[in-house]
């Protein structure tokens, strides 16, 4: 039997605010590559990443719907088979020293990191109903294969995609991403979320406390300065998503 979801989430996060590396450690290495997660793992065991389906059906770890910004290729991820995606250079855009880094599959990231690693898996969808359903089913299959239910939550700006996960695998922890506080509209509880993941600008103390009263934890993105960390921790957030998990680890140690 599973614990109630909110108790399980609190158990996963622990007793202190979680230091969550953004796309691995985006400020230190090329985002969403294996090296980015390995570099980040020197400072934390919590990571946010982005996933979507490529043309051959694999869940790949990349933020944009095209490969243009982060690789030497061009075009939509959904039109590439994985064997072709894997040939792209996903490291040089960040720094020449990372030339040859690849776009990984989600399975590769899961298998490469220690089993104690916790993932915020952000699902990326362009909203096509068939693509959305295929993504949800593929992710649920992977969650079951690697027995991930107690060390992940799924999240998305596409709340209907989060709802598909709820329907397929109700025990999976679920987060709703929001750009601003006022974009958290009145029907958000219909999706039965466990977390709200807002832009840091939304996280006033009243906003965070209001959600806590509904047994919802709040983890803002993307927080990169000591001033932001101090204000957000004072507001009562459960974790911080950052490009610099090394710096955040030092900061959290200093304010124990």
């Amino acid at each position: 039997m599973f614990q109630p979801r909110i108790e399980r989430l609190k158990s996963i996060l622990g007793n202190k605010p979680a230091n969550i590396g953004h796309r691995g450690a985006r400020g230190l290495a090329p985002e969403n590559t294996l090296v980015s997660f390995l570099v980040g793992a020197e400072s934390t065991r919590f990571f946010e990443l982005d996933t979507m389906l490529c043309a051959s059906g694999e869940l790949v770890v990349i933020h944009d719907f095209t490969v243009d910004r982060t690789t030497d290729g061009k075009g939509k991820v959904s039109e590439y088979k994985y064997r072709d995606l894997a040939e792209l250079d996903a490291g040089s855009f960040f720094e020449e020293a990372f030339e040859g880094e690849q776009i990984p599959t989600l399975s590769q990231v899961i298998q490469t990191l220690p089993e104690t690693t916790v993932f915020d898996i952000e699902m990326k969808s362009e909203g096509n109903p068939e693509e959305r359903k295929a993504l949800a089913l593929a992710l649920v299959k992977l969650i079951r294969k690697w027995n991930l239910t107690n060390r992940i939550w799924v999240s998305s700006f596409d709340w209907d995609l989060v709802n598909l996960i709820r329907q397929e695998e109700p025990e999976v922890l679920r987060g709703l991403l929001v750009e601003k506080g006022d974009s958290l509209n009145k029907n958000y509880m219909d999706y039965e979320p466990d977390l709200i993941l807002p832009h840091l600008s939304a996280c006033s103390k009243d906003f965070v406390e209001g959600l806590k009263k509904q047994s919802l934890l709040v983890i803002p993105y993307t927080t990169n300065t000591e001033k932001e960390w101090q204000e957000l921790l004072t507001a009562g957030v459960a974790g911080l998503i950052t490009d610099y998990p090394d710096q955040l680890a030092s900061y959290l140690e200093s304010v124990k």
Side-chain angles (χ1 to χ4, degrees):
M1 292 291 291
F2 283 105
Q3 292 174 287
R5 290 200 318 275
I6 190 63
E7 291 181 18
R8 185 152 39 95
L9 177 58
K10 289 179 178 178
S11 176
I12 289 169
L13 291 171
N15 296 323
K16 57 184 180 181
N19 174 4
I20 302 172
H22 185 220
R23 306 180 199 170
R26 188 187 180 212
L28 308 175
E31 64 182 62
N32 282 327
T33 60
L34 289 179
V35 70
S36 189
F37 295 100
L38 291 171
V39 168
E42 297 175 10
S43 306
T44 187
R45 65 184 184 91
F46 296 93
F47 292 102
E48 183 270 354
L49 57 78
D50 308 277
T51 196
M52 65 186 73
L53 288 172
C54 66
S56 49
E58 290 89 350
L59 285 163
V60 293
V61 179
I62 187 170
H63 177 271
D64 299 0
F65 291 115
T66 73
V67 301
D68 299 31
R69 178 177 64 87
T70 57
T71 79
D72 57 350
K74 298 288 183 183
K76 297 183 69 171
V77 175
S78 61
E79 295 175 355
Y80 273 84
K81 293 183 178 179
Y82 184 67
R83 65 171 180 263
D84 298 318
L85 281 177
E87 292 180 357
L88 301 178
D89 175 0
S92 294
F93 82 94
F94 184 86
E95 193 174 290
E96 190 174 333
F98 294 105
E99 181 180 359
E101 288 297 321
Q102 298 175 321
I103 297 170
T105 65
L106 182 53
S107 286
Q108 286 171 342
V109 175
I110 299 294
Q111 293 177 79
T112 299
L113 276 290
E115 291 186 1
T116 53
T117 309
V118 175
F119 296 101
D120 168 5
I121 300 175
E122 180 181 342
M123 303 172 290
K124 309 289 289 193
S125 167
E126 295 187 272
N128 176 288
E130 290 183 6
E131 171 257 353
R132 183 189 276 145
K133 183 72 171 178
L135 173 56
L137 292 175
L139 183 52
V140 167
K141 183 178 179 181
L142 184 143
I143 290 168
R144 291 170 177 163
K145 177 179 179 179
W146 298 110
N147 192 27
L148 299 176
T149 307
N150 284 323
R151 61 187 188 100
I152 65 155
W153 62 84
V154 300
S155 62
S156 186
F157 287 102
D158 181 348
W159 295 2
D160 290 331
L161 185 50
V162 176
N163 206 40
L164 283 174
I165 299 292
R166 178 175 71 89
Q167 293 168 7
E168 293 292 332
E169 195 69 27
E171 297 299 337
V172 172
L173 297 165
R174 304 180 287 273
L176 303 181
L177 280 156
V178 294
E179 293 183 8
K180 299 178 181 178
D182 59 8
S183 64
L184 193 62
N185 56 38
K186 292 181 180 179
N187 73 335
Y188 64 93
M189 291 301 288
D190 293 345
Y191 294 83
E192 299 183 15
D194 306 289
L195 299 109
I196 302 299
L197 300 131
H199 186 268
L200 63 94
S201 62
C203 289
S204 66
K205 192 171 183 64
D206 287 346
F207 179 83
V208 175
E209 288 183 349
L211 291 171
K212 280 184 173 180
K213 289 177 181 177
Q214 299 179 79
S215 296
L216 294 171
L217 300 187
V218 179
I219 296 179
Y221 66 91
T222 302
T223 69
N224 287 330
T225 69
E226 289 195 7
K227 181 176 184 292
E228 291 167 351
W229 299 334
Q230 180 181 21
E231 291 174 352
L232 292 164
L233 292 175
T234 299
V237 300
L240 299 159
I241 297 174
T242 182
D243 293 333
Y244 300 97
D246 58 334
Q247 295 177 27
L248 178 54
S250 296
Y251 177 79
L252 292 173
E253 187 68 23
S254 72
V255 297
K256 272 186 175 180

